[in-house]
Amino acid sequence: MTITSFPIIGIVLAVVSALFLTLGNFLQSRGVARTTADSPGIGPARFWRLARDPVWLGGSALFGLAILVQLAALAFAPLIVVQPVGVIALVFASLLTALVTKTVPRVREVVSIAVCVISLGVFVSVAAAVSEQTTITDEQLIAVLIVLLVVLAATFAGLAGFRRRRTPPVVYVLLGGLYSGFVATLGKTVILRIQTAIHHRDITLDETNLLTIACAAGIAVAGALSIWFVQSAHTVNGPQVVVAGLTVVDPFVAVVLGITVLQEAASAPLWSFPIFAVAGAAAMAGVWSLAKEQTDHTPAAAVSSPPPPSR
């Protein structure tokens, strides 16, 4: 059975989600900066202090709202259409920064944003025309969960290797985006499988529905790790850099899984794949240029690596 797709609705909701994400990210960054003013790093005790900070809580509420709206967008359009739209958060972040700091964006920043938006427009337009969303098979769901387990093992092994030396600031951004991409992918599988179960009136606790529950557990694990890594990223990076990293890593992971595992582009014509590759590479180049531009203008103190987490 093919699930009905309404790409325009999904794209509009994804833009709204990007706006909430930008505002939430900005407030979270402010809250983290206030809580870690004495020393950087996010540990259990400091995270508890964050949970009582009204600014951070407001940002977290907007962040959670962004996730809910994004999941709603995924109910109307394929993953490879919805996730890349998140790059529009770069525009919102730059406008918000210019408004708060009362400064005009630099030329290189504007050019980078233009490259991202134009590339995004091409990618999403083609993806909306040639992609389709279908029910997720047990084999596809198991494949996503296996990939998540491998990534989890690699993450903890890598972090163990950094225990005796400073973790590069960008690592926290990359890991936050990585697990955010898994949340979107797993969320998409749960949405489609629930839609299918409702359509067939299948609410029994059988093997298929148990896999859906396992998928929901994977969302909880990936979501918790994404939140922790994003908050850690805020202690060593500016909010614009965090947004820039998330908006390239999250869609990249989701699109790769959407094409290779969920088979959303299985019926796409051959000419569309070179366009995907070129547009995706151009968007990533624009994000990289923007992140570099913003990092170059961030005070050194703001990008120093944190000490080991507080206990």
Side-chain angles (χ1 to χ4, degrees):
M1 183 187 70
T2 300
I3 305 298
T4 303
S5 180
F6 300 93
I8 298 300
I9 298 177
I11 291 171
V12 171
L13 288 174
V15 171
V16 175
S17 174
L19 177 59
F20 288 148
L21 172 67
T22 303
L23 295 174
N25 177 75
F26 178 78
L27 293 177
Q28 281 190 330
S29 178
R30 287 291 180 92
V32 169
R34 297 197 322 175
T35 304
T36 61
D38 50 346
S39 62
I42 295 290
R46 190 156 288 156
F47 199 88
W48 175 243
R49 287 174 57 190
L50 272 178
R52 291 177 291 173
D53 184 282
V55 174
W56 185 85
L57 286 175
S60 298
L62 285 171
F63 207 87
L65 185 58
I67 293 175
L68 292 177
V69 175
Q70 189 77 353
L71 291 176
L74 289 170
F76 290 101
L79 187 69
I80 65 174
V81 173
V82 170
Q83 288 308 108
V85 177
V87 175
I88 202 71
L90 288 174
V91 178
F92 296 143
S94 293
L95 292 175
L96 181 60
T97 299
L99 181 64
V100 172
T101 61
K102 298 180 180 179
T103 59
V104 178
R106 292 174 289 275
V107 174
R108 183 178 172 183
E109 186 175 349
V110 173
V111 172
S112 299
I113 291 174
V115 170
C116 292
V117 173
I118 293 172
S119 303
L120 164 70
V122 173
F123 188 103
V124 172
S125 297
V126 175
V130 303
S131 62
E132 64 177 5
Q133 53 181 7
T134 58
T135 54
I136 306 300
T137 66
D138 291 351
E139 291 75 15
Q140 289 173 323
L141 193 151
I142 292 172
V144 174
L145 291 175
I146 290 175
V147 173
L148 175 60
L149 290 174
V150 171
V151 170
L152 284 170
T155 297
F156 287 110
L159 291 177
F162 280 117
R163 289 190 65 181
R164 296 187 179 181
R165 52 182 176 174
R166 291 181 176 180
T167 303
V170 71
V171 169
Y172 295 107
V173 178
L174 295 177
L175 289 175
L178 175 66
Y179 285 106
S180 179
F182 272 101
V183 170
T185 305
L186 292 171
K188 179 65 174 179
T189 65
V190 169
I191 289 171
L192 290 180
R193 289 170 73 89
I194 289 177
Q195 287 177 334
T196 303
I198 292 174
H199 178 80
H200 291 291
R201 298 181 181 179
D202 177 18
I203 57 175
T204 58
L205 198 62
D206 55 13
E207 183 177 301
T208 297
N209 290 333
L210 283 175
L211 277 174
T212 303
I213 295 174
C215 189
I219 293 175
V221 172
L225 287 172
S226 179
I227 290 171
W228 190 86
F229 284 124
V230 168
Q231 304 317 307
S232 298
H234 280 308
T235 68
V236 288
N237 297 278
Q240 301 95 328
V241 176
V242 176
V243 169
L246 290 177
T247 53
V248 67
V249 179
D250 177 331
F252 179 79
V253 172
V255 168
V256 169
L257 291 174
I259 292 176
T260 60
V261 179
L262 304 186
Q263 298 293 306
E264 290 186 340
S267 60
L270 290 177
W271 58 262
S272 64
F273 290 98
I275 295 179
F276 287 153
V278 173
M284 286 190 287
V287 172
W288 181 269
S289 176
L290 179 63
K292 186 176 186 303
E293 172 71 8
Q294 293 172 340
T295 301
D296 289 344
H297 289 82
T298 301
V303 293
S304 58
S305 295
S310 305
R311 297 185 182 278

